[in-house]
Amino acid sequence: MKPKFKIIIPAVTITASLITSYAVAFGFRNEERLDAEGTDAAITALTSKLLENSQFAHQQLNDEMAGKFLDRYLNALDGGHMIFLQSDLDEFARVRPKLAKATREEGDSKIAHTIFKCYLERLGLRATFISDLLANEKFDFSADENFSYDRKEAPHPADMAAAKILWTQQLRYEFLQEKLAGKKDEEITKTLGRRSTRLVETMKKLDEKAVLEIYLEALAQVYDPHSDYMGPEQMKSFEITMNLSLIGIGATLQSQDGYCKIMELVPGGPAARSGLLKNGDRIVGVSQKSGNEFTDLIDLPLSQAVDLIRGKKGTPVFLNVIPANAADDSVRKNITIVREEIKLEDQQAKARIIDMPSGDAAQRIGVIDLPAFYAGEGNAKAGPTSATADVSKLITKLKDEKVTGLILDLRHNGGGSLQEAISLAGLFIPSGPVVQTRSLDGEVEIGKDRDGKVAYDGPLVVLTSRFSASASEIVAGALQDYGRAVVVGDTSTFGKGTVQTIVPLDRIMQGQGLIPNADPGALKVTISKFYRPSGKSTQLEGVKADVVIPSLSDFPEIGESDLGNPLPWDTIETAKFTPSNRVTASIDSLRTRSTDRIAKSPDFSALKAEAERFKKLREDKVVSLNEAKRLKEKEETKERAENAKKERLARGTNQPKTYELTLKTLAKPGPGELITQEKPKINPDADLDGEDDLPVEPTDDIVLHEARNILIDYIGLLKGQPVVSQR
């Protein structure tokens, strides 16, 4: 997942001397219109120099970095290490000693096109081999064979004979996967044959500009995972995403191992509202009409997959999905989502009032769900928007309804406006530093809450997850440093503690009289880092929970550390602030009570078993090619899921009386609209492979339920301690 970020520009200085130096080196004259080759050379050299001089790590493109650059480009094309032969790599290795100089000083990108030409040749050979195999081979899956599907660290095939063995094993794996999904042999043969030839056809359509974009993207991401080179088309897609104007399902997608994977659901988007998709799901097929054959998305370039998923507002899109928690990749779900624009009200903060049982009486608490740190100037139809202003209104209503404690739910908040994060944290502290931002030159700017006002001064719990990132981490970290809130949830948050800016290359080049023959794109570079008031960076380590609540999202693969080449965690000098120290005395007791409850909870026992199973699947990275064994495993998984459903239904839960509040309903008298408790709509006899029968995992509910219990405990522990009255 790459979280949302606010484009903050504490201006990167691009010196005229830097531009002039490479212009002179290439023999470019002012006001000269460059040809295609000259434009590519200028883009390559400028990208290299900007990354060196405007990048937070200040790393020169030396031989070591150039080696990583070449490896990353090779992996961008052949991440499974199944296309290039070792002899190809040996040939490419000849450029390693000269790559840094050629890139920095000459803007030479010839090796990118040489490698890509070889890639196309190998892809063509593979497609021909697969077509012959599908036409002539009768696949048998009775032997006790395994396939290692994760080959990121595996060696490349030594020669063509070794490559053909790998291609055969991968084809057998894909064939069995489709067979277990219920497809007939003839249909499978057609799908797999089309898949391999389509990949060759798609790659052949990439022009030199597209190849250069892949190459320079690899260069940028050697510096850190959030830096990026964006060609004109990618820049256009980026602008659409930032403006939230695309019509689709409302999900951030990423190509991973040939699959179109959901990295993040956009708050308020159709997918998030439907509840049918979740982070980690893989979309393997798409259709525009019910009953039509799905277009296969495996190994399809992400841009083309996205184009198929997008469409006209109000039209349905039919998706074939491998669920994130599927024990077997042959498990597929067919779902339907109606494309819509993201609704503002669905992105805005909302609240619930819950009357929790507490002894002989109910104890009223509030939960504020904040999906993003939004801010906007508004338009003719609506005024300015502000997450802080909206949360402040909700707090006022919650206090009027006599809540005794508050949960701020940031589990699905990937970030947003830095200023909103500062002002929102200020709702819970009188004044003081909230975030420290260190720039490229080492200067530290302190973002402070200065209004001296507190909107809510009662017991506070901040609920986080691995998906809480950027601005969410600033707020959670600051409230933890002040001792103002108990942070509960996953072991830590995402760990995105850096700031990026967009540098349009055209503006820089034309400013120095260099006229490219086409739009040269833009560079996204990391220019600063965030630090908490305590001086700890939020980068990489994120914000660690005071009380950990088990969940299915608490895995290190969800986080900055899994993105590759992340900037390190570090510290700076502590800012001057006055902690309230309300939390420390209660932490040990809160942890003990929560641990005891979780140990006795059937729901958490089931969740832990599921998490352990998922962990084992991740670690094994090997799948059986024995059909009988796979069918048995699939039946066992189905039986386990059905039993879990039945147990949840049998247990049942009497949820506390809960009222829902939105910004539109705040003015109405009373605590809000009463949420009617419904029996879970789960059919224990349904087939797990049946259409529209996604297994309902109550993980969010039980995590929030435990957070509510922690808040009740915290309120009780604070009794007798001097607490400033709510104001």
Side-chain angles (χ1 to χ4, degrees), residues 23 39 84 183 273 282 378 423 441 479 561 592 600 655 688:
T39 297
F84 291 123
K183 293 184 180 179
R273 294 200 308 272
R282 288 168 288 171
S423 57
D441 57 9
L479 295 178
S561 60
T592 300
K600 297 172 185 176
Q655 294 295 330
L688 272 176

Side-chain angles (χ1 to χ4, degrees), residues 79-94:
H81 294 187
M82 300 185 75
I83 306 300
F84 291 123
L85 308 182
Q86 186 57 49
S87 57
D88 298 328
L89 301 187
D90 294 341
E91 184 68 25
F92 304 150
R94 295 182 182 182

Side-chain angles (χ1 to χ4, degrees), residues 339-366:
R339 301 175 176 107
E340 294 287 350
E341 281 189 279
I342 297 168
K343 296 180 180 179
L344 178 60
E345 59 265 30
D346 287 324
Q347 284 190 292
Q348 290 177 317
K350 57 183 69 71
R352 289 189 174 190
I353 291 175
I354 305 169
D355 290 334
M356 292 285 291
S358 181
D360 295 330
Q363 187 153 351
R364 177 163 283 188
I365 64 170

Side-chain angles (χ1 to χ4, degrees), residues 188-419:
I188 297 171
T189 298
K190 181 181 176 183
T191 297
L192 298 184
R194 188 168 52 201
R195 185 181 296 170
S196 62
T197 55
R198 184 188 61 191
L199 180 60
V200 178
E201 292 166 359
T202 301
M203 291 297 107
K204 281 184 176 179
K205 290 177 182 176
L206 296 185
D207 59 17
E208 291 191 349
K209 293 290 184 186
V211 174
L212 182 66
E213 182 171 334
I214 298 170
Y215 187 62
L216 294 183
E217 183 177 307
L219 172 60
Q221 292 184 357
V222 164
Y223 284 86
D224 84 280
H226 302 289
S227 291
D228 201 1
Y229 170 75
M230 296 183 287
E233 288 303 313
Q234 189 180 348
M235 188 64 190
K236 190 184 299 180
S237 294
F238 175 80
E239 289 169 349
I240 289 172
T241 301
M242 291 304 292
N243 292 331
L244 294 175
S245 60
L246 66 91
I247 306 296
I249 63 172
T252 301
L253 306 175
Q254 181 176 316
S255 181
Q256 195 172 96
D257 300 326
Y259 288 101
C260 179
K261 187 174 182 179
I262 295 176
M263 304 305 292
E264 183 182 9
L265 298 179
V266 178
R273 294 200 308 272
S274 74
L276 297 175
L277 289 172
K278 56 183 176 294
N279 295 320
D281 287 351
R282 288 168 288 171
I283 304 174
V284 295
V286 61
S287 173
Q288 308 304 325
K289 189 175 180 181
S290 179
N292 280 12
E293 182 181 353
F294 285 105
T295 299
D296 179 35
L297 298 189
I298 297 176
D299 285 334
L300 188 70
L302 185 62
S303 60
Q304 294 185 31
V306 169
D307 286 342
L308 289 171
I309 294 169
R310 288 177 182 169
K312 291 183 179 179
K313 179 180 177 181
T315 60
V317 60
F318 304 88
L319 305 176
N320 188 232
V321 176
I322 301 176
N325 61 347
D328 193 301
D329 281 356
S330 65
V331 174
R332 307 292 169 86
K333 301 296 171 188
N334 296 336
I335 66 171
T336 304
I337 294 179
V338 177
R339 301 175 176 107
E340 294 287 350
E341 281 189 279
I342 297 168
K343 296 180 180 179
L344 178 60
E345 59 265 30
D346 287 324
Q347 284 190 292
Q348 290 177 317
K350 57 183 69 71
R352 289 189 174 190
I353 291 175
I354 305 169
D355 290 334
M356 292 285 291
S358 181
D360 295 330
Q363 187 153 351
R364 177 163 283 188
I365 64 170
V367 179
I368 292 179
D369 179 12
L370 183 64
F373 288 89
Y374 51 86
E377 296 178 358
N379 52 42
K381 293 183 179 179
T385 59
S386 162
T388 304
D390 291 347
V391 170
S392 180
K393 292 173 187 175
L394 291 170
I395 287 174
T396 299
K397 178 68 172 180
L398 294 175
K399 290 193 299 183
D400 289 344
E401 296 300 324
K402 310 300 181 187
V403 299
T404 58
L406 179 62
I407 295 173
L408 178 62
D409 189 348
L410 300 177
R411 283 177 295 170
H412 308 293
N413 189 320
S417 164
L418 174 62
Q419 186 53 52

Side-chain angles (χ1 to χ4, degrees), residues 350-559:
K350 57 183 69 71
R352 289 189 174 190
I353 291 175
I354 305 169
D355 290 334
M356 292 285 291
S358 181
D360 295 330
Q363 187 153 351
R364 177 163 283 188
I365 64 170
V367 179
I368 292 179
D369 179 12
L370 183 64
F373 288 89
Y374 51 86
E377 296 178 358
N379 52 42
K381 293 183 179 179
T385 59
S386 162
T388 304
D390 291 347
V391 170
S392 180
K393 292 173 187 175
L394 291 170
I395 287 174
T396 299
K397 178 68 172 180
L398 294 175
K399 290 193 299 183
D400 289 344
E401 296 300 324
K402 310 300 181 187
V403 299
T404 58
L406 179 62
I407 295 173
L408 178 62
D409 189 348
L410 300 177
R411 283 177 295 170
H412 308 293
N413 189 320
S417 164
L418 174 62
Q419 186 53 52
E420 286 295 326
I422 294 170
S423 57
L424 191 134
L427 296 177
F428 306 103
I429 60 173
S431 61
V434 173
V435 61
Q436 303 186 77
T437 306
R438 183 158 67 97
S439 63
L440 293 168
D441 57 9
E443 289 289 321
V444 176
E445 181 180 345
I446 299 178
K448 294 182 178 181
D449 171 56
R450 303 175 184 274
D451 63 9
K453 299 176 182 178
V454 177
Y456 176 76
D457 207 17
L460 178 64
V461 163
V462 176
L463 180 55
T464 59
S465 74
R466 291 275 183 178
F467 299 108
S468 306
S470 195
S472 287
E473 296 172 293
I474 289 171
V475 171
L479 295 178
Q480 189 178 62
D481 283 351
Y482 275 84
R484 178 62 190 89
V486 182
V487 178
V488 308
D490 288 349
T491 307
S492 67
T493 54
F494 190 91
K496 204 257 182 193
T498 56
V499 183
Q500 284 72 42
T501 190
I502 303 296
V503 182
L505 301 186
D506 183 62
R507 191 181 307 165
I508 299 171
M509 293 170 70
Q510 294 208 33
Q512 295 301 313
L514 298 175
I515 305 173
N517 79 324
D519 185 349
L523 193 64
K524 174 154 67 81
V525 288
T526 297
I527 55 170
S528 53
K529 289 176 76 173
F530 289 136
Y531 297 83
R532 294 159 54 161
S534 61
K536 298 177 183 177
S537 174
T538 56
Q539 170 63 17
L540 200 59
E541 289 194 2
V543 178
K544 296 180 180 179
D546 297 313
V547 183
V548 175
I549 304 175
S551 82
L552 290 180
S553 65
D554 199 2
F555 293 100
E557 286 82 356
I558 303 173

